[in-house]
Amino acid sequence: MGKSCFITGAAGFIGFHLTLSLIKEGFEVIGLDNLNNYYDVSLKKNRLDHINYLATSEKFSWRFIEGDLIDRSLLENIFIEYKPEVIIHLAAQAGVRYSIENPSAYINSNLVGFNNILELSSKYKAKHFIYASSSSVYGGNKKTPFSEKDPVDHPVSLYAATKRCNELIAHSYSHLYKIPCTGIRFFTVYGPWGRPDMAPMIFANAIINEKPIRIFNKGKMARDFTYISDVVTQLTELVKLPISEKRILEMKAFNPSNSWAPHRIFNLGNGEPVALLKFIKLLENELKKESIKIFEDMQPGDVEETFADSKSIEEFLGKKPKTSIQEGIKKFIVWYKTFYNYQ
């Protein structure tokens, strides 16, 4: 497997941590991000500063380019100049609720941008195309845990619909142009340097500043929280393991998670849903403050529970997530207090 990686969304939460992991492994990493203001741009710039400092001090190979996925000529110049062998496409317009308010942002980034990067991966013969999908594709599914073998035909948000479209488009390209593709359905990734629009940061900030927390579906919700270091450990291994022709020939049956084409989909989750109220209680314990709770009805586009069946990726890599929710929240709050200078 080649050592040149192109990571889109490199200033994002997962992109930042994966970049750090790969440059330490000796990969040459080219990062792209448009640094949009969907959430605090200063946090993204702090992440980049952290990568830059490490890369400079340790002489790791790292180059950052600010740009947008819909800028086809910029993307093509990156492929021509750097000749990346592995493409890790994490950039997207994120957020279920925001997709209700601003659907066009999702069409441009998650569909037009996705197709641009995939088309260039095909044109310049990438050896492995890894892309971010989401647990939200399971939509209205009632069967748990969610398995990659389950049908995912009923998304309940535009964000989920765009992610499912990504999976279908990637499969088509994989079949037509023989690009090894791996789609990752992430389940509520959290930890240090996390996104301010996600529950851990929203809740921690509200508790500290004695602001009310809006708790939807009257608190009857659960999420399969997955700690960032577990996610990055598995992603780093997957980068080195594109699907092979031999593995395809060995398959005895096809299902929604695999194919005769060199395309596969993995859940990446902890496999242990945590009740939302328990999650809040753990944050309160670490911050030594009680939250102010406002219980509300379910938000449009939300689901009551996410729960990953992670057997496929665990069997493939021989690795399981090892960070408990208690340990993960403790580490997250230590970082939060340091970063935001909270005593």
Side-chain angles (χ1 to χ4, degrees):
M1 174 49 57
K3 284 283 189 175
S4 176
C5 282
F6 178 33
I7 300 182
T8 69
F13 175 35
I14 297 174
F16 160 74
H17 284 280
L18 183 59
T19 295
L20 290 175
S21 175
L22 291 177
I23 61 175
K24 290 173 185 176
E25 291 257 332
F27 283 83
E28 300 171 5
V29 178
I30 306 97
L32 177 81
D33 204 293
N34 68 359
L35 300 178
N36 69 28
N37 63 358
Y38 170 67
Y39 65 77
D40 184 9
V41 176
S42 66
L43 176 59
K44 299 178 184 183
K45 290 181 177 178
N46 270 288
R47 292 175 184 144
L48 290 174
D49 287 344
H50 193 78
I51 300 171
N52 291 335
Y53 175 79
L54 180 67
T56 301
S57 60
E58 299 293 333
K59 295 183 171 55
F60 292 133
S61 181
W62 154 252
R63 170 73 189 273
F64 176 72
I65 298 162
E66 184 175 348
D68 200 284
L69 294 172
I70 61 174
D71 188 343
R72 174 67 180 263
S73 61
L74 171 67
L75 293 176
E76 184 143 29
N77 287 336
I78 291 170
F79 275 83
I80 291 169
E81 181 173 355
Y82 297 101
K83 300 177 176 57
E85 297 166 279
V86 180
I87 314 303
I88 305 168
H89 182 51
L90 302 175
Q93 179 58 61
V96 169
R97 291 168 193 153
Y98 186 60
S99 69
I100 298 168
E101 302 168 19
N102 191 4
S104 61
Y106 291 76
I107 300 302
N108 286 333
S109 181
N110 299 8
L111 296 182
V112 177
F114 183 86
N115 189 71
N116 282 342
I117 199 81
L118 186 50
E119 175 66 22
L120 290 167
S121 297
S122 168
K123 181 176 179 179
Y124 292 97
K125 304 190 186 312
K127 293 181 179 179
H128 194 185
F129 180 80
I130 301 174
Y131 64 95
S133 186
S134 167
S135 62
S136 66
V137 301
Y138 290 105
N141 286 20
K142 299 298 182 185
K143 171 187 162 291
T144 56
F146 298 150
S147 167
E148 302 97 329
K149 298 174 185 177
D150 296 337
V152 283
D153 300 324
H154 300 93
V156 296
S157 70
L158 179 62
Y159 171 71
T162 62
K163 287 299 185 179
R164 180 56 180 149
C165 286
N166 289 169
E167 294 177 350
L168 296 172
I169 292 168
H171 181 271
S172 297
Y173 268 80
S174 179
H175 164 64
L176 292 170
Y177 307 111
K178 307 306 178 191
I179 310 170
C181 291
T182 303
I184 307 295
R185 292 175 180 168
F186 292 106
F187 281 71
T188 316
V189 184
Y190 76 104
W193 299 92
R195 279 170 36 196
D197 64 315
M198 293 188 70
M201 292 275 271
I202 292 172
F203 293 169
N205 185 59
I207 293 168
I208 286 168
N209 293 292
E210 299 179 1
K211 302 289 186 184
I213 293 173
R214 298 171 68 197
I215 301 174
F216 298 106
N217 201 35
K218 312 297 185 185
K220 298 173 184 174
M221 300 183 78
R223 290 290 179 266
D224 196 339
F225 290 99
T226 315
Y227 191 66
I228 184 63
S229 65
D230 293 328
V231 168
V232 168
T233 295
Q234 292 182 311
L235 283 178
T236 301
E237 290 304 308
L238 279 175
V239 165
K240 308 167 190 173
L241 298 168
I243 191 167
S244 66
E245 291 292 335
K246 179 174 181 291
R247 185 170 177 82
I248 294 170
L249 292 172
E250 288 173 350
M251 289 181 188
K252 294 181 171 57
F254 303 117
N255 60 56
S257 71
N258 63 37
S259 171
W260 64 90
H263 179 269
R264 64 195 172 192
I265 292 171
F266 288 120
N267 286 340
L268 209 170
N270 199 53
E272 295 183 12
V274 177
L276 187 58
L277 292 177
K278 176 183 177 181
F279 182 79
I280 293 169
K281 185 63 178 174
L282 290 169
L283 286 171
E284 292 173 334
N285 291 345
E286 291 302 320
L287 292 167
K288 297 180 173 53
K289 289 186 79 169
E290 272 198 56
S291 61
I292 303 166
K293 303 177 183 69
I294 298 177
F295 292 92
E296 300 187 6
D297 294 332
M298 180 76 91
Q299 282 268 97
D302 261 352
V303 296
E304 189 170 313
E305 179 184 44
T306 63
F307 182 179
D309 179 342
S310 299
K311 289 195 295 290
S312 291
I313 194 169
E314 289 168 7
E315 290 173 0
F316 182 69
L317 296 178
K319 295 178 184 291
K320 292 186 176 183
K322 59 184 181 180
T323 307
S324 68
I325 189 67
Q326 292 83 359
E327 181 186 355
I329 287 179
K330 184 183 291 291
K331 290 179 177 179
F332 164 68
I333 292 300
V334 167
W335 169 83
Y336 185 97
K337 287 179 175 179
T338 302
F339 188 79
Y340 291 103
N341 196 27
Y342 174 73
Q343 303 303 320

